[in-house]
Amino acid sequence: MTTVRLNSADPVSIDTDALIVGFRSGPDGPRPATGAEALDAAFNGKLADILDAVTFSGKAGELARLPTLGAIAAPLLVAVGLGESPDAEVLRRAAGAAVRSLAGTARAALALPADTPEEAEAVALGGLLGAYAFTRYRTKGEQRPPVAELTVISGQSEEAARRADVLADSVALVRDLVNTPPSDLSPAQFAEIAEQEAEKAGVSVEVLDDQQLKEAGYGGLVGVGQGSANGPRLVRLSYTHPDATKTLAFVGKGITFDSGGLSLKPAAAMDLMKSDMGGAGAVLGALVGIARLGLPVNAVGYLCLAENLPGGTAQRPSDVLHSYSGKTVEVLNTDAEGRLVLMDGIARAAEDGPDLIVDIATLTGAQIVALGWRTAAVMANDDAVRELIVETAGAAGEGIWAMPLPEELRKGLDSSVADIANVSPERWGGMLTAGIFLKEFVPDGVRWAHIDMAGPAFNKGEAHGYTPRGGTGAITRTLIALAERHESL
Ligand code: BES
Ligand code: MN
Ligand code: ZN
């Protein structure tokens, strides 16, 4: 586990194994963004020439490694580009990329702009997120363990480091959950981890098992989970603060593996479906983070956990489910299972009388078609709420884009036997149809937003910035940031 602290040390003399220095790009070439004069003097005024020689220009995210040969105390200097005018996300990504490139090094110090609490937190957070590694299943041991000790050179108070630490721990928890193979993360195992993590953070937990779900009328969770020997669970997490005036409810899709059920998925990309619990992961990570930060808000989180398998007891296309809300649902495609567990979670969350319900889900392939792998979508029954989420995510450095809920898509969900069908014959706009379906389970007068993060939950490609391969922990920080903006709710 990587630690971070703040220290107003001199970058020239700080005792560390590697000094990370941020450089801005400009018409006269790269220049150090902080501590410029002293650093350049240590290199006899030749820093610009040295960087030129290794064709480093300072554009955002660019990296160069330079041996310092005694010019400064640190034996290695890592130059990281910040572009022309770095914002907090540029700092997070630069710190993350630099720290990630230093795997195998014990200690690193970051000399990046950190003159405000926001900047100091961004540098610390980016560094910690970039130091993440998932090694539980490697038998050879790590050849290049992540940097263990980070020092952010900053005169700001240690509070920035503490906040960064809480946020990074929450994201790491979600990444670990997503990366864990589904054989080790059944709904019951996920619920157990949730209990442990919540108790550590001072969040109260209740778990309903398959029998209790059946008795209480959670037809969606039961229907989706019945094809697997590993039965479904509904976890309720609750955090309260004595000064709170607002209650936020988060509902996460927690399909521990999505084979599609009897409407079986093709083999090609089925392995990606271990990430289908990323929404529930984000809700757990957020509740833990909100509690550790002691935010003055009430927050409830629901983890809708089930495994979607085509066992002999699986639900069939044409089965009708009795949802927790009382509405009946004809299951025409068992692969549209996320909306079936969420409809129960949303209806249950509404009973808590929250000021806002936000559901978070790896819900549709159509989200990836529309927005790609790195940008999530938000739909809502309230324009102000939707905009608040877009803005909050943007400030946290997570891309969420506003999407509509066109009413004309509702008729495609008409069922010939039940109140509603779970899929529409209309193929186009599938992400929006899923949103329209969920909206039917939000009681009148309750504000609700739906975040589809099918793409952002998992990084199939190379690591970039502070984002590793595999589970990303996406949207966790946005949910915490939303709780910080409780006054805007
Ligand atoms: N979990 C998938 C959505 C998904 C796809 C997430 C790719 C991440 C990457 C979801 O349960 C699903 O299968 N959705 C179907 C819905 C369809 C049957 C209406 C889809 O998008 O194809
Ligand atoms: Mn599915
Ligand atoms: Zn799914």
Side-chain angles (χ1 to χ4, degrees):
M1 205 64 221
T2 306
T3 61
V4 69
R5 65 199 174 98
L6 264 49
N7 187 336
S8 52
D10 176 1
V12 173
S13 58
I14 188 168
D15 174 29
T16 184
D17 302 322
L19 179 70
I20 296 165
V21 182
F23 285 82
R24 292 182 181 224
S25 59
D28 307 322
R31 55 206 148 80
T34 180
E37 297 77 19
L39 256 180
D40 201 36
F43 287 90
N44 295 323
K46 294 242 163 15
L47 203 45
D49 293 345
I50 296 169
L51 290 167
D52 201 44
V54 295
T55 65
F56 176 87
S57 71
K59 75 170 196 293
E62 196 180 359
L63 287 177
R65 297 162 74 92
L66 308 171
T68 64
L69 307 172
I72 61 173
L76 178 67
L77 186 147
V78 177
V80 59
L82 301 174
E84 276 170 36
S85 53
D87 61 13
E89 179 62 3
V90 169
L91 294 178
R92 281 187 289 263
R93 289 185 189 183
V99 170
R100 191 159 45 73
S101 79
L102 283 169
T105 308
R107 301 171 302 163
L110 296 119
L112 271 72
D115 300 328
T116 65
E118 196 206 12
E119 285 178 346
E121 180 185 319
V123 173
L125 178 57
L128 288 173
L129 292 175
Y132 175 84
F134 184 71
T135 55
R136 209 176 291 163
Y137 292 85
R138 301 241 185 246
T139 57
K140 284 198 191 136
E142 262 171 281
Q143 271 157 353
R144 301 203 319 145
V147 178
E149 272 178 51
L150 294 174
T151 303
V152 175
I153 298 179
S154 170
Q156 289 296 314
S157 94
E158 200 61 31
E159 174 64 10
R162 201 190 75 85
R163 285 179 46 86
D165 192 53
V166 170
L167 295 174
D169 280 355
S170 282
V171 172
L173 168 63
V174 182
R175 289 174 177 177
D176 283 350
L177 286 165
V178 170
N179 289 332
T180 299
S183 56
D184 286 341
L185 194 75
S186 64
Q189 286 167 307
F190 194 144
E192 252 170 62
I193 294 170
E195 277 181 316
Q196 288 162 11
E197 295 295 330
E199 271 158 29
K200 267 196 281 174
V203 170
S204 46
V205 203
E206 294 158 53
V207 180
L208 298 183
D209 65 19
D210 30 8
Q211 197 50 46
Q212 293 165 312
L213 288 169
K214 215 173 276 175
E215 283 160 15
Y218 290 92
L221 274 156
V222 171
V224 172
Q226 74 192 31
S228 168
N230 307 311
R233 298 288 185 274
L234 179 65
V235 177
R236 180 178 188 273
L237 305 162
S238 160
Y239 162 77
T240 57
H241 191 283
D243 301 335
T245 58
K246 296 286 162 65
T247 298
L248 258 172
F250 297 134
V251 181
K253 171 178 173 181
I255 301 300
T256 57
F257 187 73
D258 181 13
S259 72
L262 285 172
S263 311
L264 195 63
K265 285 183 181 297
M270 207 194 269
D271 58 317
L272 179 60
M273 286 303 116
K274 76 167 178 177
S275 67
D276 213 17
M277 32 53 69
V283 171
L284 174 60
L287 263 286
V288 166
I290 289 165
R292 287 183 62 199
L293 290 173
L295 299 182
V297 65
N298 296 330
V300 284
Y302 288 92
L303 315 181
C304 305
L305 306 173
E307 186 174 41
N308 191 22
L309 291 189
T313 54
Q315 63 175 345
R316 310 146 191 87
S318 77
D319 276 354
V320 173
L321 302 177
H322 294 261
S323 75
Y324 187 74
S325 73
K327 286 199 165 98
T328 56
V329 181
E330 185 183 14
V331 179
L332 292 177
N333 187 322
T334 63
D335 198 12
E337 83 298 338
R339 60 198 77 182
L340 300 176
V341 299
L342 289 172
M343 70 186 181
D344 282 353
I346 290 169
R348 173 63 187 88
E351 292 180 350
D352 292 318
D355 295 281
L356 173 63
I357 298 177
V358 182
D359 77 70
I360 306 93
T362 48
L363 204 60
T364 65
Q367 181 275 318
I368 307 171
V369 174
L371 295 170
W373 290 101
R374 296 194 195 174
T375 307
V378 61
M379 290 141 267
N381 62 4
D382 182 293
D383 292 348
V385 160
R386 192 180 54 237
E387 290 318 310
L388 176 69
I389 290 176
V390 168
E391 209 196 292
T392 305
E398 301 198 288
I400 304 190
W401 204 248
M403 284 286 161
L405 290 170
E407 265 313 316
E408 72 271 16
L409 293 176
R410 173 60 185 83
K411 66 178 184 307
L413 292 170
D414 283 347
S415 160
S416 52
V417 295
D419 297 338
I420 191 168
N422 78 328
V423 290
S424 164
E426 172 61 60
R427 176 179 164 212
W428 307 108
M431 165 172 63
L432 315 180
T433 301
I436 291 280
F437 177 91
L438 294 176
K439 187 170 163 237
E440 291 284 321
F441 297 89
V442 181
D444 285 344
V446 177
R447 292 195 300 170
W448 156 82
H450 159 56
I451 298 175
D452 192 337
M453 48 140 175
F458 198 87
N459 176 20
K460 297 197 335 166
E462 291 304 314
H464 55 89
Y466 53 76
T467 306
R469 295 187 72 131
T472 60
I475 313 302
T476 309
R477 290 184 296 120
T478 293
L479 299 183
I480 297 172
L482 202 57
E484 286 182 315
R485 297 198 185 192
H486 52 92
E487 271 157 17
S488 312
L489 294 177

